[in-house]
Amino acid sequence: MRAAVDMMYVKGVSLTTLDDVRAASGTSKSQLYRHYPDKDALVRDVVALQAADVL
């Protein structure tokens, strides 16, 4: 999750791909897709984590 947060902060949400996150986090494709079937699911969790950090 932290890799996704960092990438989306640096590259922006629209330019960050699931493959980017997978490579940065060192996870396999199957691991990532088991938890996040699509980018929207990952973005939702990134937003929730950022909101929790702020609050």
Side-chain angles (χ1 to χ4, degrees), residues 18 32-39 41:
L18 289 177
L32 183 66
Y33 281 96
R34 181 167 23 126
H35 296 285
Y36 301 105
D38 56 27
K39 186 175 174 180

Side-chain angles (χ1 to χ4, degrees), residues 2-51:
R2 194 50 61 185
V5 169
D6 293 343
M7 289 211 103
M8 289 181 187
Y9 179 77
V10 172
K11 291 179 68 173
V13 172
S14 62
L15 294 178
T16 301
T17 66
L18 289 177
D19 284 335
D20 291 337
V21 174
R22 184 194 55 75
S25 63
T27 59
S28 70
K29 205 169 209 175
S30 63
Q31 282 179 309
L32 183 66
Y33 281 96
R34 181 167 23 126
H35 296 285
Y36 301 105
D38 56 27
K39 186 175 174 180
D40 289 340
L42 179 61
V43 170
R44 280 191 297 275
D45 278 359
V46 166
V47 169
L49 179 64
Q50 291 295 85

